Amino acid sequence: MDLLKTTNLTVSFGGLVAVNGLNLTVQKGQICALIGPNGSGKTTAINLITGIYVPTAGKVEFKGETISGLPRHLIVRKGIARTFQNIRLIGNQTVFDNIRLGMHIHTKANLLGVIVNSRAVREEMAAVKSEVQEIIDFVGLSKIAQEKTRNLPYGKQRIVEIGRALATKPELLLLDEPAAGLNTQETLELVELIKKIRDRGITILLIEHHMELVEGLADWVFVLNYGQKIAEGTFKDIKANELVKEAYLGKRGARVVNA
Amino acid sequence: MRLGNFLRKNALAVIALVLVIFPLTSPPDYQFYIVERSLQNAILAIGLVILLGYTGPLSLGHAGLLATGAYTYGILATKAHWPLWLAFLAAPVVAGVIGLALGFPSLRLKGPFLMVVTIAFGEIVRIVALNEEELTGGPYGLQGIPRLINNDLGVYYLMVAATMLVAIATLRLHRSRIGLALLSIKEDPLVTGVMGVDVSNYKVMAFVLSAALAGLSGAFFAMLTRYLNPDSFTILDSATYLLMVVLGGMDSVVGAILASGVVTALPEILRFMERARLLVYAIILLLVIWGPSTGVYKKLEDRFGRKSVVAPGVKLVDRG
């Protein structure tokens, strides 16, 4: 089943066409990777899918329903969650509360209920607490659950972001360079975590520059260059693709590699 | 620091206790009045905690909302002869509705631009109050405003109860999903939106709550002074309210209550200095704000019995 489908997805900023006629199809249950040189429009594509940018043309469909043009707070309710390339946690809040923020769409307490501290609100709070705790255990942050996130090392912050995205209970998880800035050990742990997330039945689309990571994880790879998709396929196919070599290495570079 | 820890955990209860006992010490009228004004100010300051401390937008127009509440109560009570309790309830409602209108510019404007809008709003209210003589009495003021409970102690205890209820409700808000959403909006509205929070709605909600509390404070103001004059609602008053919140540590309800007391009482305590009074007042405030950047109350809270995750004996680096 096509979980996510973009058709002719295009956005331009002034004269710059950042994403140009992009067609992606992500199958349910897969781990897909979006790769390409810097500035090729990978993050912009994710921003289009999650409603941070509105496409100039084309559309995004999720489970057969057009979601492009919806405000971002509704897109996440459809079941798409994401992390950010430059980690964006709520730094003054604890790990626990950052993940609790992800539960927002699954909670209902309204102002009146909160003020009178109604039974429903108290029960919801207790339920949220245990669900957040479960996510914290799942991603392995139990020891630092009460730390403010701005005091955490970089690698941990990335994991908190993933935990926060998981708290929205997504069907599709978009990870924007999850391994950027991680050391070898942390990268290994991340790979395990991503596999664990897939095993929970969550489809993953990730942007990544670490090719070993892409090779080890991705069932399907899309390659972008100058805002356009230049290739897609399994990692093996992509690796042999002339256009991809050119995009990364230039024409001459590709010749050298081939020689 | 056992005592410090106790005070921190039960700050609100201790304050309530002190406030309940205070009139029994039969204080001089003027002292009593200062405490009454502190309470009235505290209600508005808590509203600003929700807006500025939790959500982020800076308002220099809250004196206008205070005026809205005060005149709503005053006019409905003296000219329209509404039942007093209805006039009392109308004050926060009317101010809240105005806050709704004031909330919408906040969705498009940020920082200094929004601040200018709030300043303009405050001035508009003041000028309208000055010119609508039929209703407000204009520069002559609105006189003979009746009180909901017609004795000093009654109004005082009503205010103590209101302040405590508002404080408890705000603390509950703080720990709820709504509070978390507001605090997150302050730090990163984009991410908060991506996490499914309707940022626009919540921002407007913060404005409405803050305005309604300013209106409630206004109704008490009208009952305390029993006379309203547009001069009581200038931009300087708005700035003073901001000061209470900043001094209290921005997002601390207890801090705002204590700071309201300090900021209200300080000019009076310094009165013996006569002409140097304002100068000394200004210097004290500057020192206080320069010192701990997180507000005095937060500093004290940190000093006395904050639990750290780091093992005892490990010195934490000040991360600013």
Side-chain angles (χ1 to χ4, degrees), chain A residues 88-90 93-107 128 132 164-165 167-168, chain B residues 177-185 188 191-197:
Chain A
R88 294 181 81 153
L89 289 166
I90 310 301
Q93 301 292 338
T94 61
V95 170
F96 184 92
D97 282 338
N98 267 274
I99 293 174
R100 185 160 68 100
L101 180 64
M103 291 284 302
H104 186 87
I105 57 173
H106 299 291
T107 49
V128 164
V132 171
R164 185 177 66 182
T168 68
Chain B
R177 69 195 276 270
I178 301 172
L180 182 63
L182 295 179
L183 289 158
S184 303
I185 288 171
D188 195 333
V191 164
T192 312
V194 169
M195 286 301 126
V197 176

Side-chain angles (χ1 to χ4, degrees), chain A residues 140-154:
Chain A
L141 292 170
S142 325
K143 278 186 194 146
I144 50 170
Q146 293 304 328
E147 276 277 12
K148 282 188 180 177
T149 53
R150 71 185 151 109
N151 297 338
L152 297 180
Y154 201 75

Side-chain angles (χ1 to χ4, degrees), chain A residues 11 13 18 43-55 69-70 72:
Chain A
V11 68
F13 304 106
T43 296
T44 309
I46 288 208
N47 283 342
L48 284 167
I49 294 168
T50 51
I52 288 175
Y53 299 144
V54 178
L70 283 180
R72 53 185 84 121

Side-chain angles (χ1 to χ4, degrees), chain A residues 161-205:
Chain A
E161 260 212 335
I162 294 175
R164 185 177 66 182
L166 285 177
T168 68
K169 301 176 189 165
E171 285 180 64
L172 174 66
L173 178 61
L174 309 173
L175 303 173
D176 195 348
E177 296 200 26
L182 300 193
N183 64 33
T184 320
Q185 175 62 30
E186 287 168 333
T187 308
L188 287 173
E189 286 168 13
L190 177 77
V191 169
E192 287 315 303
L193 179 60
I194 292 175
K195 284 181 180 162
K196 253 167 69 184
I197 292 169
R198 183 209 32 213
D199 294 343
R200 273 191 159 194
I202 297 171
T203 310
I204 292 166
L205 175 64

Side-chain angles (χ1 to χ4, degrees), chain A residues 72 88, chain B residues 52 55-59 102-118 184-191 199-200 203 207:
Chain A
R72 53 185 84 121
R88 294 181 81 153
Chain B
L52 172 69
T55 322
L58 189 90
S59 164
L102 196 56
F104 283 104
S106 81
L107 303 177
R108 295 191 163 269
L109 300 173
K110 285 195 177 78
F113 303 101
L114 178 62
M115 206 167 77
V116 169
V117 170
T118 61
S184 303
I185 288 171
K186 184 183 182 184
E187 274 193 63
D188 195 333
L190 185 136
V191 164
V199 173
S200 308
K203 266 190 175 174
F207 262 96

